[in-house]
C-alpha cells in the first residue's frame, strides 16, 4: 500500500475472528498479535500466581545456531526447554512442517509475564520504602 492512508496490510483470522494483523502508519509498521478489547474476552478471573521468582532462575546463554559457522559471533538468549514450564505462551511448540516438535520464541507471549513481574517488584519496593521510612522516624 503506497497510499498515504493508515491501515492493516495483512489480517490473520480464525473462524471469522481477527487473531492479529500487521498495520502501518505514515512512519511505522507494527504487528498486533492478539485482540485486547474487553468485548473480545469472557470468563475473567484474577491472575494471582507470582511470576517474579521465575525470572530469578533465568540462565542467559551464548550459542551458535546449528547453521552458523563456529567462528561467527555467538547469539545471546535462552533455551526454550528450560523456560517453557514457566512461560508457556512465550515458547510455543510448532506442531507441523519441517520444524515440527521444535520450540520457538514468541516475544509477545513474554510481555504479560514481564508486566506482571514489574507489578510484583513495585509492591516489594513500596513495602521496603514504608519500612525504611518507619526506621528513619524512630
Amino acid at each position: 500500500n503506497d497510499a498515504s492512508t493508515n491501515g492493516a496490510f495483512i489480517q490473520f483470522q480464525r473462524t471469522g475472528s481477527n487473531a492479529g494483523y500487521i498495520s502501518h502508519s505514515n512512519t511505522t509498521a507494527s504487528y498486533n498479535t492478539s485482540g485486547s478489547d474487553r468485548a473480545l474476552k469472557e470468563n475473567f478471573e484474577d491472575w494471582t500466581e507470582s511470576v517474579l521468582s521465575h525470572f530469578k532462575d533465568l540462565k542467559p546463554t551464548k550459542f551458535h545456531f546449528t547453521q552458523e559457522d563456529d567462528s561467527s559471533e555467538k547469539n545471546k538468549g535462552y533455551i526454550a526447554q528450560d523456560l517453557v514450564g514457566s512461560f508457556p505462551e512465550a515458547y510455543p511448540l510448532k506442531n507441523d512442517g519441517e520444524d515440527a516438535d521444535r520450540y520457538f520464541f514468541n516475544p509477545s507471549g513474554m510481555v504479560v509475564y514481564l508486566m506482571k513481574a514489574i507489578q510484583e517488584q513495585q509492591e516489594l519496593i513500596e513495602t521496603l520504602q514504608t519500612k525504611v521510612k518507619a526506621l528513619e522516624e524512630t
Side-chain angles (χ1 to χ4, degrees), residues 101-113:
D101 298 324
R102 292 190 180 162
Y103 290 96
F104 285 79
F105 179 56
N106 171 23
S108 299
M110 184 58 90
V111 170
V112 67
Y113 291 101

Side-chain angles (χ1 to χ4, degrees), residues 35-73:
S36 189
D37 194 278
R38 181 176 292 276
L40 300 171
K41 301 174 181 182
E42 62 185 6
N43 303 324
F44 298 96
E45 64 181 76
D46 287 340
W47 179 17
T48 58
E49 169 196 9
S50 176
V51 300
L52 191 55
S53 62
H54 296 308
F55 288 94
K56 184 179 178 183
D57 298 327
L58 291 179
K59 300 215 181 332
T61 58
K62 292 169 63 174
F63 56 87
H64 287 118
F65 285 99
T66 56
Q67 73 272 19
E68 293 178 314
D69 187 297
D70 288 351
S71 64
S72 66
E73 185 176 343

Side-chain angles (χ1 to χ4, degrees), residues 62-96:
K62 292 169 63 174
F63 56 87
H64 287 118
F65 285 99
T66 56
Q67 73 272 19
E68 293 178 314
D69 187 297
D70 288 351
S71 64
S72 66
E73 185 176 343
K74 289 187 176 181
N75 300 280
K76 296 174 183 89
Y78 300 92
I79 307 303
Q81 288 86 341
D82 297 342
L83 302 174
V84 69
S86 297
F87 310 109
E89 294 86 352
Y91 293 96
L93 181 65
K94 192 165 184 297
N95 294 322
D96 56 7

Side-chain angles (χ1 to χ4, degrees), residues 90-138:
Y91 293 96
L93 181 65
K94 192 165 184 297
N95 294 322
D96 56 7
E98 68 180 74
D99 287 320
D101 298 324
R102 292 190 180 162
Y103 290 96
F104 285 79
F105 179 56
N106 171 23
S108 299
M110 184 58 90
V111 170
V112 67
Y113 291 101
L114 294 169
M115 292 171 69
K116 188 160 188 331
I118 290 170
Q119 286 180 315
E120 291 174 24
Q121 283 184 326
Q122 188 59 36
E123 287 179 29
L124 291 171
I125 290 167
E126 290 172 3
T127 299
L128 290 172
Q129 286 174 327
T130 300
K131 289 180 179 182
V132 168
K133 185 177 179 182
L135 288 171
E136 290 175 342
E137 292 174 353
T138 59

